[in-house]
Amino acid sequence: MSSVEIPRETWATRIGFIFAAVGSAVGLGNIWRFPFQVGQEGGAAFLVMYLLFILAVGFPAMLVEFVVGRYTERNPVGALREIGSGAWRYVGWIFIATGFVILSYYSVVAGWTIRYTVLGLQDGYLADAAEAEAQFVTLASGLDAIVLHALFMAAVILIVGAGIKRGIELAVTVMVPAIIVIVVGLAVYAATLEGAGDAYAYYLSPDLGVIAANWTSILPAAAGQAFFTLSLGMGVMITYASYLGEDRNLAEDGAIVIGFDTAIAFVTGLIVFPILFTAGVDPADPGAGAIFVSLAAAFGDLTLGWLVGAVFFGTVAIAALSSAISLMEVVVSYVVDEHAVDRRVAALAIGGGIFVLGIPSAYDLVLLDLFDLFADQILLVLGGLLLAILVGWILSDLAVEELSLGIGDLGGYGTAWIWAVRIPVVLVLIVALVLGVLDYLE
Ligand code: PHE
Ligand code: NA
C-alpha cells in the first residue's frame, strides 16, 4: 500500500461540526422511533424517563465520545487501540459492527419514507386503517423496499465518498436548517387540529404509576432510545470529533447537540400525537411499521393530508440521510485511516456490503424488528458501557485534561463529569444491558 501520508481532513468551520453532529443525532430516532416508543411504553411516563436519561446518561456519555475522538484524532478502532491496553484495544470493533448493522435496517426504513413522500404527491394516502395497513405491507417489504433501500444507500455513498468538507459538511449545512424549520412549521399546523387537546394530555401528563408498574420494560427502552437518538454507542461522535482541528469547548458543543436533538424529538410528539388523535388512531399500536400505517391513515383523513404527509415524510427522509451518512462514516473512516484505501472506493464497497446486509430487513418486517432490537438494546449499549468503564474508571485523568482544553480549568465540573460517567452511566447501561438481553431472549 502507499506509504504517502495523506493529511487527515478536518471540518471547515465550527458550525460545520455542530451541524454534522446535530444532523447525525436528529433522524429516524426522533421522528419515527421516538413517537412509537412513547406510544408503546405508556405515553408521558416514558417521556419523563427519557428526558432523565438524556441528561444523566446521554450528556456525560456524549462528552466521553467527543473526548476520545478529539484526543486520538482517529476512527473508533484506531482510537481504542491508542488509548486502550489489553482487551480494551478491541472495543472499537464493536462500534464498527454496530454501525454496520444499524445502517443496514435504518436504510430500509429510510426507503419507506421516500416511498411515502412520493405516495402522498402521487396518489394521496388511504384513510381506511385496514387498507392503509395492507398498502404498507406491500410497499414496505419485498422488491419495492429493496429498490428504495438501494436508492437511499446510493445517496449515502455519494455524500460520504465526497469527503468531510465537500460531502458531509456541505450536505448537513443544507439539511439541518431545513429540518428544523419544517418540523416547527408542522407542529404549529398540528396545534390547529381538533384532536390536539387530547393528544397533549396524553403526551404531556405523566402517570407515574405506569413507570412503577412497567419499569423493567420502560428503563431499557428509555436508555436505549437515549443512546440511539444521540448517536451514542456507535463511535459516531468519536469519529466526528476526530475531525476537529482545534480545541473547542466540547461541553458547550455537546449541550447544543443534545438541546437540538431533544427539542426535535419533543416537537415531533407535538406533531404526531395530534394527527393520530384527530384521526382517531390509537397511538399504543406497537411495532416499527405501525407508526407509518397510523400516520398515513391519519393523513388520508385530513384536509390536504396528502400535502402535509408528503412534507412530513420528506423531512423524515432528509433527517434519515443526515444520520445515515454519520453511521457510514464510522466504517469508512476506519478503512480509510487504517488501510489507506481511497475514500470513494471505501464508501462504495462498504455501502454495498451494508446494502446486502439490509436485504433481509427489506424482505421481512419481522427481521427488521429483530435487527433493531438487537442493535439498539444490546450492541449499542454494550459498546457504550465498555467505553464508559474505560474512560471513567481507567483513563479519567487523561479524559478530564482533554475536556479542559478549549474550556479552561474545569474545577469541580471535571470531577462531577467523571463520577457521572462512573456511576449513573455505567449502572444504567448495565441494567439496560441485562434487561435488554432478557427481553431479546423472550
Ligand atoms: N441518532 C440517529 C437518530 O436519532 C440515529 C443514529 C444512531 C444515527 C447512531 C447515527 C448513529 O435517528
Ligand atoms: Na436522534
Side-chain angles (χ1 to χ4, degrees), residues 75 96 330-342 346 350:
N75 68 87
I96 304 284
V330 171
V331 190
V332 168
S333 70
Y334 158 69
V335 177
V336 170
D337 280 3
E338 312 278 319
H339 299 287
V341 175
D342 179 76
I350 292 162

Side-chain angles (χ1 to χ4, degrees), residues 390-414:
L390 177 65
V391 171
W393 287 99
I394 303 176
L395 301 172
S396 55
D397 290 347
L398 188 147
V400 171
E401 195 191 317
E402 178 65 30
L403 184 65
S404 74
L405 300 178
I407 302 182
D409 186 12
L410 295 178
Y413 288 108

Side-chain angles (χ1 to χ4, degrees), residues 47-66:
L47 179 63
V48 171
M49 285 301 268
Y50 166 80
L51 291 176
L52 204 82
F53 280 141
I54 292 283
L55 279 184
V57 179
F59 186 44
M62 179 171 288
L63 296 186
V64 167
E65 291 204 19
F66 277 175

Side-chain angles (χ1 to χ4, degrees), residues 68-144:
V68 169
R70 187 178 66 183
Y71 176 78
T72 60
E73 294 183 25
R74 276 176 215 279
N75 68 87
V77 168
L80 269 291
R81 195 186 307 125
E82 183 176 325
I83 61 172
S85 54
W88 292 107
R89 303 172 45 130
Y90 303 106
V91 170
W93 284 103
I94 301 177
F95 294 125
I96 304 284
T98 314
F100 208 86
V101 173
I102 292 196
L103 186 50
S104 77
Y105 70 83
Y106 199 84
S107 166
V108 173
V109 179
W112 303 345
T113 65
I114 300 176
R115 188 67 190 86
Y116 271 74
T117 309
V118 175
L119 185 67
L121 296 176
Q122 253 176 5
D123 314 307
Y125 304 97
L126 300 170
D128 182 85
E131 283 175 29
E133 165 111 44
Q135 181 179 45
F136 176 75
V137 172
T138 327
L139 295 179
S141 51
L143 192 60
D144 274 37

Side-chain angles (χ1 to χ4, degrees), residues 22 24-31 50 225 228-231 261 265 323:
V22 171
S24 170
V26 174
L28 295 176
N30 307 57
I31 314 185
Y50 166 80
Q225 175 63 15
F228 184 88
T229 193
L230 296 177
S231 300
D261 186 76
S323 297

Side-chain angles (χ1 to χ4, degrees), residues 189-278:
Y189 157 82
T192 66
L193 295 175
E194 161 206 342
D198 290 345
Y200 295 159
Y202 163 83
Y203 182 45
L204 301 177
S205 48
D207 175 356
L208 296 184
V210 173
I211 301 184
N214 301 312
W215 68 275
T216 56
S217 90
I218 294 186
L219 193 139
Q225 175 63 15
F227 258 64
F228 184 88
T229 193
L230 296 177
S231 300
L232 297 174
M234 259 154 289
V236 165
M237 295 303 174
I238 295 179
T239 309
Y240 273 7
S242 78
Y243 297 117
L244 282 168
E246 39 172 316
D247 289 334
R248 278 203 292 263
N249 187 332
L250 291 179
E252 200 177 282
D253 290 358
I256 294 175
V257 174
I258 289 179
F260 273 108
D261 186 76
T262 308
I264 297 277
F266 180 74
V267 173
T268 301
L270 299 178
I271 301 170
V272 168
F273 295 115
I275 289 175
L276 294 182
F277 274 78
T278 303

